Amino acid sequence: DAMVIQNPRYQVTQFGKPVTLSCSQTLNHNVMYWYQQKSSQAPKLLFHYYDKDFNNEADTPDNFQSRRPNTSFCFLDIRSPGLGDAAMYLCATSRGSHGSYEQYFGPGTRLTVT
Amino acid sequence: AQSVTQLGSHVSVSEGALVLLRCNYSSSVPPYLFWYVQYPNQGLQLLLKYTSAATLVKGINGFEAEFKKSETSFHLTKPSAHMSDAAEYFCAVSDERNTGFQKLVFGTGTRLLVSP
């Protein structure tokens, strides 16, 4: 089945130690998104890629970076994680063509910062 | 800017009872509307979507929602709750009509509790 895959599902990192979360998709979608979801809150969009074009949300901290080396993969890098960065990180994709509306989500990576 | 309001952070129903989860939207243009479900420690799964076709939208797992422009509402219903429906439900709106990028604005979510 075509899908969005996130690895690892659970990640523990130390305060200030860089961490990378990965997302891959077999849907061949043009757009890939990264969301941060804190406990009992709605997902918050951090940034998205439309093909190779990177689009940062205005309020996304500089501590968060992303890479998309090819259509299938997208990475979220947190340069110096703080305790406030502990959250579920969700990757999503969408086709990117007019008339396609929904986003497809991966299972998420739960990040713990110790 | 568009926004979504979900009334009730928690809704409790008995198994077999009607499920009604409320969503009101604000948008300056006709919106696209979505309901997503999230089970514990899982990603979001699309239940249904409204994209300006039929106002009554049927989704997966027996859920449906009706778009009411006059009330700016898109409430989610299911005639008979099942234990497996217990989850967090998010309403979302997008008004990106002319691009391929859909920025979703989510409501704060409603946790559905189903008792035996």
Side-chain angles (χ1 to χ4, degrees), chain B:
Chain B
Q2 68 270 38
S3 65
V4 166
T5 302
Q6 290 184 243
L7 292 175
S9 59
H10 292 79
V11 170
S12 295
V13 300
S14 299
E15 193 173 21
L18 172 71
V19 175
L20 171 60
L21 305 182
R22 298 178 187 275
C23 173
N24 289 89
Y25 70 90
S26 171
S27 177
S28 57
V29 298
Y32 299 145
L33 293 159
F34 307 84
W35 275 100
Y36 282 87
V37 61
Q38 186 177 33
Y39 298 99
N41 290 313
Q42 295 292 323
L44 277 68
Q45 181 183 9
L46 181 68
L47 277 176
L48 48 78
K49 62 186 179 188
Y50 168 76
T51 56
S52 74
T55 56
L56 182 62
V57 181
K58 294 187 183 299
I60 62 171
N61 301 340
F63 285 93
E64 63 181 36
E66 186 171 8
F67 174 71
K68 291 187 176 180
K69 185 178 179 180
S70 60
E71 298 177 8
T72 61
S73 69
F74 190 58
H75 301 332
L76 181 70
T77 61
K78 181 173 180 178
S80 177
H82 193 273
M83 296 294 289
S84 61
D85 295 327
E88 187 88 18
Y89 291 80
F90 291 97
C91 183
V93 64
S94 173
D95 61 7
E96 300 285 344
R97 303 193 72 81
N98 296 315
T99 71
F101 161 55
Q102 289 290 330
K103 178 168 182 176
L104 293 179
V105 175
F106 287 92
T108 50
T110 298
R111 182 167 298 277
L112 178 65
L113 306 168
V114 183
S115 56

Side-chain angles (χ1 to χ4, degrees), chain A:
Chain A
D1 284 343
M3 55 183 12
V4 182
I5 302 159
Q6 290 188 246
N7 286 305
R9 294 292 315 279
Y10 299 89
Q11 176 75 57
V12 181
T13 191
Q14 293 177 336
F15 182 94
K17 185 175 181 181
V19 64
T20 295
L21 310 181
S22 72
C23 176
S24 63
Q25 53 129 342
T26 59
L27 297 160
N28 203 31
H29 282 174
N30 297 97
V31 191
M32 295 187 77
Y33 309 78
W34 279 104
Y35 290 86
Q36 179 192 64
Q37 186 181 25
K38 295 190 174 179
S39 182
S40 301
Q41 295 184 20
K44 176 179 177 297
L45 182 64
L46 294 173
F47 27 59
H48 77 278
Y49 272 95
Y50 195 133
D51 293 327
K52 290 188 177 295
D53 293 333
F54 177 72
N55 298 271
N56 203 32
E57 292 298 298
D59 56 354
T60 298
D62 292 340
N63 198 26
F64 292 85
Q65 310 266 311
S66 186
R67 296 170 283 135
R68 189 179 185 185
N70 54 53
T71 300
S72 301
F73 285 87
C74 195
F75 300 98
L76 170 62
D77 300 309
I78 308 177
R79 291 192 296 185
S80 181
L83 297 179
D85 296 327
M88 174 78 92
Y89 289 88
L90 298 167
C91 175
T93 72
S94 66
R95 270 215 307 267
S97 55
H98 180 61
S100 67
Y101 311 111
E102 60 262 39
Q103 294 184 18
Y104 296 81
F105 285 81
T109 295
R110 183 167 294 283
L111 178 68
T112 300
V113 182
T114 60

